[in-house]
Amino acid sequence: MPFLLPTQAAICSVFRERSPAYQSSDGTTPSRKSKYEAQSSFNSAWSAADDAKSKAGTLSNEARKELELASTKAQAAAGKIELYSPKYYAACTFGGLLACGVTHTAVTPLDLVKCRRQVDSKMYKGNFEAWGKISRAEGFRGIYTGWGPTAYGYSAQGAFKYGGYEFFKKFYSDLAGEENAKNYKTSIYLTASASAEFIADLALCPFEAVKVRMQTTIPPFAKSTWDGVGQITAKEGTAGLYKGLYPLWGRQIPYTMMKFASFETIVEAIYNYLPGQKSDYGKLAQTGVSFGGGYLAGILCAIVSHPADVMVSKLNANRKAGEGFGAAMGRIYKDIGFSGLWNGLPVRIVMIGTLTGLQWLVYDSFKVFMGLPTTGGAAPPPEKKIS
């Protein structure tokens, strides 16, 4: 079958250019490519990559300009915000609402697995296995079980926590006096954060009770946040929403004390280590320091507060009607032992480390957006008044 074989003309057209004796129609010998010369396809790929990088840079610059414009408009609408003025505390309160509400809601899938493993350590072997089982049994929405009460509760808690911390830090510093406040600044951080968290947990506790029950009952006992509130109050009264308050204080107050005091200390250490002063660095670098300091502080927070976190989950899920707080804790501890208080710690370290870092990033980014200094490090220099 001769049509399957190439003709002599076809063979010559393919290979004659590779022959050193080949000459083109104008009598010249075409130059051969060096083996070190890049193929034209590589050049086009590099060109596409450079073009994409250029477009990304342009978009980034445009986004930064839009953000700066929005920040300018927001500052103009709010007016000048003096440090420690009512406007300042209002801005910090709203920044805390964003910082905690958004971040806690975003990590609901991690929190769901953590709570279920705290109640039953044999339920899942790991996060991915848990999410796979939950999505197959309850659909993708099942992975976000409890996001509603999480958003409500932690938005309210964040508002009181961050706004309260800024207020109490100034309040206790003024009580102590300038010299004592400087010498005992860590004590000021601890006392201010504890005071703020004590109040913040009163706002969080009802929603935490609904969240934990939704996440630890399969299928969830309620269809929504307010359905859960209604069911609990119908059966147990308002007290049912606050039966986890004492262990919540036991978890959150040490957690917040570690969160704020260690953050302030770590950020100050970072700026002391870096050359120059805090004011020498741009806002982007300062918010980067806030994220790094927050992540490290979050790891310490997770370890300090984890036993109480386990107990909160157990009490909200397993406390019997009419059972006293001490009796319930004793019964639960007898069932799980000391090692049981540390169930789910690795997951919580990842979750809380990331969470705390992002919270400080969001909080300080909002402060910068409103024209305020970031938290930690050297205090901003006092403004000079022109007489």
Side-chain angles (χ1 to χ4, degrees), residues 277-291:
Q277 299 178 343
K278 176 182 176 179
S279 57
D280 296 331
Y281 295 91
K283 299 303 181 184
L284 184 62
Q286 291 185 23
T287 52
V289 170
S290 296
F291 175 77

Side-chain angles (χ1 to χ4, degrees), residues 170-177 180:
K170 173 65 173 171
F171 177 75
Y172 291 134
S173 295
D174 289 344
L175 281 181
N180 286 331

Side-chain angles (χ1 to χ4, degrees), residues 241-372:
L241 296 172
Y242 286 93
K243 71 180 186 180
L245 180 60
Y246 292 153
L248 185 65
W249 274 333
R251 178 190 79 184
Q252 288 297 131
I253 290 177
Y255 165 88
T256 301
M257 292 170 71
M258 178 64 74
K259 174 180 180 175
F260 283 88
S262 60
F263 173 81
E264 296 263 17
T265 303
I266 290 169
V267 167
E268 185 178 358
I270 290 173
Y271 283 119
N272 287 338
Y273 177 79
L274 294 173
Q277 299 178 343
K278 176 182 176 179
S279 57
D280 296 331
Y281 295 91
K283 299 303 181 184
L284 184 62
Q286 291 185 23
T287 52
V289 170
S290 296
F291 175 77
Y295 196 97
L296 294 175
I299 294 173
L300 300 175
C301 293
I303 296 170
V304 166
S305 63
H306 192 73
D309 185 60
V310 173
M311 195 59 70
V312 168
S313 297
K314 290 285 189 180
L315 283 169
N316 278 310
N318 300 327
R319 188 174 177 181
K320 299 175 182 177
E323 187 177 26
F325 171 70
M329 284 192 63
R331 176 179 56 82
I332 291 170
Y333 183 78
K334 186 177 179 180
D335 290 341
I336 64 175
F338 180 77
S339 61
L341 293 174
W342 303 98
N343 285 339
L345 179 60
V347 176
R348 193 160 185 266
I349 285 176
V350 174
M351 186 183 86
I352 297 299
T354 306
L355 200 65
T356 307
L358 289 174
Q359 283 175 3
W360 281 112
L361 177 63
V362 171
Y363 179 65
D364 275 347
S365 295
F366 180 77
K367 289 177 74 175
V368 168
F369 183 80
M370 297 304 297
L372 299 171

Side-chain angles (χ1 to χ4, degrees), residues 103-117 124 126-128 130-131 134 140-147 150 215 347 351:
T103 53
H104 274 278
T105 304
V107 297
T108 298
L110 274 172
D111 190 45
L112 172 65
V113 176
K114 178 206 63 140
C115 285
R116 289 187 177 179
R117 292 185 72 183
Y124 309 117
N127 291 349
F128 291 103
W131 293 327
I134 293 168
F140 180 76
R141 290 181 62 183
I143 297 175
Y144 277 88
T145 298
W147 75 268
T150 298
Q215 291 181 333
V347 176
M351 186 183 86

Side-chain angles (χ1 to χ4, degrees), residues 165 169 185-194 260-261 264 268:
Y165 174 72
K169 183 168 69 168
K185 56 188 174 183
T186 302
S187 298
I188 298 291
Y189 302 151
L190 292 170
T191 310
S193 56
F260 283 88
E264 296 263 17
E268 185 178 358

